[in-house]
Amino acid sequence: MKTEFLKITGHAADDDAIIARAAEVIKQGGLVAIPTETVYGLAGSAFLNESAEKIFTAKGRPADNPLIVHIAKPEDADAIADTNELYYALAKRFMPGPLTIILPKKAIIPDTVTAGMPTVGIRCPSNPVAHKLIEVSGHPIAAPSANRSGIPSPTNAEHVRVDMDGRIDMILDGGDCEIGLESTVIKLDEDGTGCTILRPGAITADMLSTVCAKVTISRAVIEPSLADDIKPESPGMKYKHYAPKAEVILIDAAEETFIHYVERDSASIRRYGIFTNNESAGSFNGGMMLLLGPRGDAKEASRRLFTLLRRADEMELEKVYALLPPATGEYLAYYNRIVRAAGCRIIKLGNNYN
Ligand code: TXA
Ligand code: MG
């Protein structure tokens, strides 16, 4: 299959023409990779069984991992799922934006989309290209991240090209994704006032607390190695994820200890990289610096993480070293992804390491 590559120009008339062509592909049951504010998505009609099947094939995705359905405005959820008051309260505050809410699904959404689950994840993206495409196509859009299954999600159109060229109909290049990590996925608690975070993202627990009486973080978010053992509330959490070919060595230690460890462990390695904040980059004697941005800037580190994991492979690094971030606040989403990229292995070093 020949994949068409189209660049969003910023000129309204040209972009309208591009989006009209992409909407035609969606209506005909084809696949289009699209920019969203989180990561690039692999979009197909959520009404068409064949589109969902093509998405699973193009990604090499396990058939039991459901797809998120994207809508143009919160009310559009009513046609495809059972909404409630809490959904609308959350939608009012966070939609459009990087939040996915799991709701009981209606029959109009094929079982292939939800991998046989009785629920469907609903998201209303804020990216104008994604939004316009949903509106113009008139179909809700099933879209997982546009990467081949298992590797980091794409945050620019070139990442998508590497993974999907020849496998899908069209790629829309809308530049770099603003957030860089996938949406926060939540389910609503049965009491009608609380919610549970199944996958952390840019909408944090604190932000959700402004609407929900209680916010629970699923255990598998903080201890991803548990995801295999506990009931898979969100099937995607149990799969190997975000892993580059390079081995990711994740260190739980003070920064000085981390620097010391890297010095020693890398002595016999030819090609290695170090995830570091800008301020500490000068403290290492060798290795490729994979810059996360200013120290303590969780948003910037999140924006760069997937690009840097891909860069590690582009540079054919054997190992990359990274410091474990706090599993709290704005760092929780970054924490959750990098722990998975490291295969859930964390090396803990005390202050007396030398
Ligand atoms: O930011 C995002 O959410 C991106 C963009 C493209 O919108 N999409 C994305 O989709 O990350 P995907 O398929 O790569 O990840 C969806 C996650 C998976 O972990 C999946 O298991 C979970 O959401 N999920 C989807 N539907 C679900 C459901 N009905 N119940 C529980 N978990 C669900
Ligand atoms: Mg994904």
Side-chain angles (χ1 to χ4, degrees), residues 204-274:
T204 62
D206 280 348
M207 291 161 77
L208 292 166
S209 300
T210 62
V211 177
C212 296
K214 185 173 174 217
V215 178
T216 309
I217 298 172
S218 165
R219 272 182 74 200
V221 166
I222 310 223
E223 299 170 79
S225 57
L226 285 176
D228 287 345
D229 311 330
I230 61 176
K231 184 172 147 276
E233 286 187 298
S234 188
M237 295 202 301
K238 74 182 181 206
Y239 294 108
K240 185 166 180 280
H241 248 327
Y242 314 121
K245 291 189 198 82
E247 188 185 359
V248 178
I249 308 289
L250 190 55
I251 309 291
D252 181 5
E255 202 175 348
E256 261 174 58
T257 311
F258 172 65
I259 294 167
H260 197 56
Y261 179 91
V262 172
E263 253 0 52
R264 207 180 260 193
D265 190 74
S266 61
S268 60
I269 305 170
R270 271 192 324 121
R271 297 184 67 78
Y272 64 96
I274 303 162

Side-chain angles (χ1 to χ4, degrees), residues 83-344:
T83 60
N84 57 29
E85 246 178 76
L86 184 54
Y87 166 81
Y88 274 105
L90 287 160
K92 187 161 179 232
R93 173 85 173 76
F94 300 114
M95 290 185 184
L99 179 66
T100 298
I101 303 181
I102 310 287
L103 295 172
K105 90 177 204 32
K106 288 189 172 158
I108 191 165
I109 298 295
D111 289 336
T112 324
V113 170
T114 60
M117 291 183 79
T119 52
V120 59
I122 303 281
R123 169 157 134 70
C124 179
S126 63
N127 177 287
V129 176
H131 181 266
K132 195 87 193 267
L133 179 64
I134 303 166
E135 227 175 36
V136 175
S137 72
H139 289 230
I141 284 184
S145 49
N147 51 292
R148 298 287 287 270
S149 196
I151 66 173
S153 299
T155 55
N156 63 42
E158 179 56 22
H159 295 161
V160 180
R161 199 188 55 73
V162 169
D163 284 18
M164 292 295 163
D165 196 17
R167 305 177 73 84
I168 61 176
D169 298 285
M170 190 181 275
I171 298 173
L172 299 187
D173 180 355
D176 291 343
C177 298
E178 242 174 274
I179 294 173
L181 298 180
E182 307 88 343
S183 63
T184 305
V185 177
I186 61 169
K187 66 167 190 166
L188 305 182
D189 299 343
E190 271 159 24
D191 66 4
T193 65
C195 76
T196 302
I197 297 179
L198 304 181
R199 181 178 71 182
I203 306 294
T204 62
D206 280 348
M207 291 161 77
L208 292 166
S209 300
T210 62
V211 177
C212 296
K214 185 173 174 217
V215 178
T216 309
I217 298 172
S218 165
R219 272 182 74 200
V221 166
I222 310 223
E223 299 170 79
S225 57
L226 285 176
D228 287 345
D229 311 330
I230 61 176
K231 184 172 147 276
E233 286 187 298
S234 188
M237 295 202 301
K238 74 182 181 206
Y239 294 108
K240 185 166 180 280
H241 248 327
Y242 314 121
K245 291 189 198 82
E247 188 185 359
V248 178
I249 308 289
L250 190 55
I251 309 291
D252 181 5
E255 202 175 348
E256 261 174 58
T257 311
F258 172 65
I259 294 167
H260 197 56
Y261 179 91
V262 172
E263 253 0 52
R264 207 180 260 193
D265 190 74
S266 61
S268 60
I269 305 170
R270 271 192 324 121
R271 297 184 67 78
Y272 64 96
I274 303 162
F275 279 86
T276 172
N277 58 56
N278 299 350
E279 292 83 351
S280 300
S283 309
F284 298 92
N285 288 330
M288 297 300 306
M289 293 305 130
L290 301 166
L291 293 179
L292 292 166
R295 177 181 286 128
D297 189 338
K299 283 204 175 88
E300 191 56 37
S302 298
R303 187 174 301 133
R304 295 185 190 191
L305 177 64
F306 287 156
T307 300
L308 293 176
L309 286 171
R310 283 181 180 254
R311 194 165 301 151
D313 283 346
E314 288 156 19
M315 295 191 301
E316 299 182 334
L317 303 180
E318 296 160 54
K319 270 191 184 183
V320 294
Y321 297 91
L323 196 52
L324 188 72
T328 50
E330 287 189 328
Y331 269 112
L332 182 61
Y334 174 93
Y335 170 96
N336 173 266
R337 305 314 191 275
I338 198 149
V339 168
R340 279 147 197 275
C344 303

